[in-house]
Amino acid sequence: MSTFRTQATPNGSTSMAPTFLLVGMPGLSAVPSWWTIPLITVYFLSVSGNGTILWIIALEPNLHRPMYFFLFLLSVSDVGLASTLMPTLLGLALADAHAVPASACLLQMFFVHVFSVMESSVLLAMAVDRALAICRPLHYPTLLTNGDINKIGLAIASQCLGLHLPLPFLLAHMPYCHPQVLTHSYCLHPDMARLACPGAWGAVYSFFVVLSAMGLDPLIIFFSYGLIGRVLQSLGSSEDRWKACQTCAAHLSAVLLFYVPMILLALIDRLRVPIPQPAHTLLSYVHFLLPPLVNPILYSVKMKEIRERIIKRLYSRKVGCA
């Protein structure tokens, strides 16, 4: 790994050096090129799957409804997240490039967290949508109008950009008392903020952002599923319960896929659980790379309307070519 140097300040802290150092998958630095193929494959499948979801929802007027609007936003966040992570991951895989310029690191950090918070917010909106559809089926069309959907989309964009826009500027001007060596293969603001000197208020703001954006969303989501569970218990027909469960299956799977690795990582870091570094790094990859890969498959398999529209479009194109 390349040598790291900091710039000393009169009070003993350091100013931000020109580069941050990333940590790749331990044990792969000697043969970095072989895991390029899985990375590119995962990225290609993620973009292809989510691109198909975006394409079919945009072209099909029958899918211009709240549930599919949120699915559209989820696919946007998945494509954005996968695309933002790839530069440093491929740099490590192809060239064992651990050093990243501070400006590029801050830019990656900004977009990683914007798209992560966007995904969390969209999953929350989808949970509320499902709760309203199951708990208030007769009032559902009036509870979520097109105007309400537009407001929700604007609120999600405002939260993602408003919360994270100050972070790159705060981190760029914070005093650092630790070498700027990160513990992941990409730039994350909790990882960068922990290197700041004790008492740096920018680190406090970073903690507030994580707690407000990523801490409350899963609580509200699981509360909404508690309400759905109560309604399902009151349904007399097992067929009605099965249909209601089917409408939630893809979303609940996406929620667990996104939040469970994140919660495990937070507990490991907070409780300082002594797990091997490869396991910690792999769990981080699962949290960030698996949802963009699996979500399109989940929704294509579990949501009959999406699946049928995709097959119909592909079949009509095939017939047209013939």
Side-chain angles (χ1 to χ4, degrees):
M1 186 178 290
S2 56
T3 304
F4 180 83
R5 293 181 295 177
T6 58
Q7 300 168 350
T9 58
N11 62 0
S13 63
T14 60
S15 60
M16 179 170 286
T19 59
F20 281 90
L21 294 184
L22 302 175
V23 175
M25 179 67 81
L28 295 183
S29 57
V31 284
S33 59
W34 77 265
W35 59 298
T36 306
I37 296 175
L39 279 177
I40 293 177
T41 302
V42 167
Y43 179 67
F44 174 76
L45 292 176
S46 299
V47 172
S48 300
N50 285 288
T52 302
I53 297 291
L54 295 173
W55 168 68
I56 202 68
I57 293 176
L59 291 183
E60 289 288 342
N62 291 335
L63 299 182
H64 295 175
R65 295 186 303 220
M67 178 170 58
Y68 299 107
F69 173 75
F70 295 137
L71 180 56
F72 187 92
L73 293 182
L74 185 68
S75 292
V76 170
S77 66
D78 280 339
V79 170
L81 185 58
S83 300
T84 302
L85 294 169
M86 279 301 127
T88 52
L89 289 175
L90 290 177
L92 287 166
L94 288 170
D96 200 26
H98 292 267
V100 178
S103 57
C105 199
L106 290 171
L107 189 64
Q108 184 187 51
M109 177 217 70
F110 173 73
F111 283 108
V112 165
H113 289 289
V114 162
F115 287 119
S116 293
V117 170
M118 181 179 177
E119 178 136 358
S120 181
S121 300
V122 172
L123 289 173
L124 172 59
M126 295 174 84
V128 173
D129 173 73
R130 292 298 83 207
L132 291 175
I134 293 174
C135 300
R136 295 289 185 269
L138 298 179
H139 301 90
Y140 176 73
T142 58
L143 289 173
L144 276 181
T145 62
N146 289 335
D148 295 326
I149 297 302
N150 292 334
K151 291 176 183 177
I152 292 173
L154 183 60
I156 290 173
S158 300
Q159 181 190 30
C160 295
L161 296 175
L163 280 175
H164 290 92
L165 196 58
L167 284 176
F169 303 99
L170 289 173
L171 290 173
H173 293 91
M174 284 196 318
Y176 289 85
C177 296
H178 307 279
Q180 287 165 228
V181 181
L182 304 177
T183 58
H184 293 282
S185 303
Y186 20 75
C187 303
L188 305 175
H189 70 67
D191 201 15
M192 299 168 73
R194 71 177 177 82
L195 304 177
C197 296
W201 69 276
V204 177
Y205 180 79
S206 299
F207 176 75
F208 164 76
V209 168
V210 173
L211 184 63
S212 61
M214 306 292 281
L216 293 178
D217 289 356
L219 295 179
I220 300 175
I221 289 172
F222 291 123
F223 175 75
S224 69
Y225 270 99
L227 297 178
I228 291 173
R230 289 181 59 184
V231 172
L232 293 181
Q233 287 181 348
S234 64
L235 293 177
S237 170
S238 59
E239 184 178 352
D240 291 339
R241 284 197 295 270
W242 173 250
K243 288 181 179 179
C245 289
Q246 284 294 99
T247 63
C248 298
H251 176 257
L252 187 56
S253 300
V255 167
L256 295 175
L257 189 64
F258 182 75
Y259 285 112
V260 169
M262 183 190 74
I263 292 171
L264 289 176
L265 279 171
L267 290 175
I268 289 169
D269 291 336
R270 184 67 179 174
L271 302 177
R272 301 186 183 278
V273 179
I275 67 169
Q277 183 60 38
H280 186 275
T281 305
L282 183 61
L283 188 59
S284 174
Y285 288 175
V286 167
H287 169 56
F288 284 111
L289 296 178
L290 202 57
L293 176 65
V294 176
N295 283 344
I297 301 172
L298 284 174
Y299 282 98
S300 298
V301 171
K302 293 294 185 180
M303 298 180 73
K304 182 180 178 182
E305 199 163 4
I306 287 283
R307 183 173 67 252
E308 289 179 347
R309 298 290 174 177
I310 292 175
I311 294 173
K312 180 181 176 182
R313 284 277 177 176
L314 293 176
Y315 180 75
S316 63
R317 279 174 171 257
K318 183 177 180 181
V319 171
C321 292

